[in-house]
Amino acid sequence: MTTILETKDLTFKYPDGTEALKGINFKLEEGTMVALLGHNGAGKSTFFLHFNGINEATSGSVEIEGKPLKYDKKSLLEARQKIGIVFQNPDDQLFAPTVLEDVAFGPMNMGLPEDEVRQRALDALEKVGMSHVANKAPHHLSGGQKKRVAIAGILAMKPKVMVLDEPTSGLDPNGASSIMQLLYDLNAEGMTIMISTHDVDLVPLYSDNLHVIVGGQIIKSGTCKDIFSDPEVMEEADLRLPWIGQLFEKFDKEDGIVFEEGYPLTVGDAHDALLKRITK
Ligand code: ADP
């Protein structure tokens, strides 16, 4: 595997003295879909904003494709073409009079010819299923549509990595699953994706590559099974099992019915485990 982004002993202190990141060593491998799981205030957004130099490390370093990130204008522009960040609140990202102009902003800033800028914006809108709102004002869109347009704005720059800060926040359950499906499809096409979330029910459906952050430190990295079967991590990070896992925990603790695979974490795994038991 090729490491596309790495942080070494990364620390960050806000001007008011808050130590938001406390020495994070992290590697993002090309082609993966990874989730950063942690409660509000754990440091997820602060961490992400280091990936393309929006925040500058207080100490330690960020490396993109093996090269330390520099903070001059040219290096930052390059970094932002490679690593695109979709903010949690699309209103922080969308500002142009129309959706099309908004999505075109990134490629335009890259200095591409006008034709290519337009084509990239149109393609990106099509990819996220938002071609039909190209001429609308971004602030007239629904929450889910805004998220899709914000994603299109990043896609139009054709980054290698797309980082999304809580991509499902504020969406209804259908909107959340359809955004996650879109990210899953983009990853299947080869894009490296990293999301932050505190949604333990959603994570096992889309990513088996998890990092748990607490108080500005990554306390464990592993598969969903590794994380959700580690009581110390669950307690330290104040996580609960996904609902479906809780059902199987109840079978175990209250009825002595134990499934050898451990607690299933998705409906699909629960179905398989039950079917195996019933047909045994
Ligand atoms: P998360 O994204 O996991 O909710 P954040 O990265 O937003 O966490 O916050 C991490 C810590 O940094 C929290 O203690 C938060 O209060 C603090 N913090 C975030 N933004 C600022 C800021 N602009 N100034 C001072 N402290 C901040």
Side-chain angles (χ1 to χ4, degrees), residues 237-263:
D238 194 20
L239 296 174
R240 65 164 174 82
L241 274 175
W243 292 123
I244 198 79
Q246 291 190 28
L247 172 66
F248 283 78
E249 183 182 42
K250 199 169 158 79
F251 275 135
D252 175 2
K253 301 254 159 86
E254 293 183 14
D255 312 299
I257 301 172
V258 180
F259 288 78
E260 64 210 32
E261 306 87 345
Y263 303 141

Side-chain angles (χ1 to χ4, degrees), residues 177-191:
S177 352
S178 91
I179 287 284
M180 289 311 295
Q181 187 61 46
L182 170 66
L183 300 181
Y184 189 75
D185 293 344
L186 288 169
N187 176 246
E189 288 169 17
M191 182 169 281

Side-chain angles (χ1 to χ4, degrees), residues 14 16 18 20 39-46:
Y14 279 105
D16 71 352
T18 307
H39 278 297
N40 288 340
K44 302 182 296 297
S45 309
T46 307

Side-chain angles (χ1 to χ4, degrees), residues 26-56:
F26 167 78
K27 279 184 180 181
L28 181 62
E29 307 296 345
E30 191 161 14
T32 51
M33 179 149 168
V34 177
L36 180 67
L37 184 61
H39 278 297
N40 288 340
K44 302 182 296 297
S45 309
T46 307
F47 185 45
F48 280 178
L49 294 175
H50 283 80
F51 287 5
N52 65 11
I54 296 173
N55 281 346
E56 184 171 349

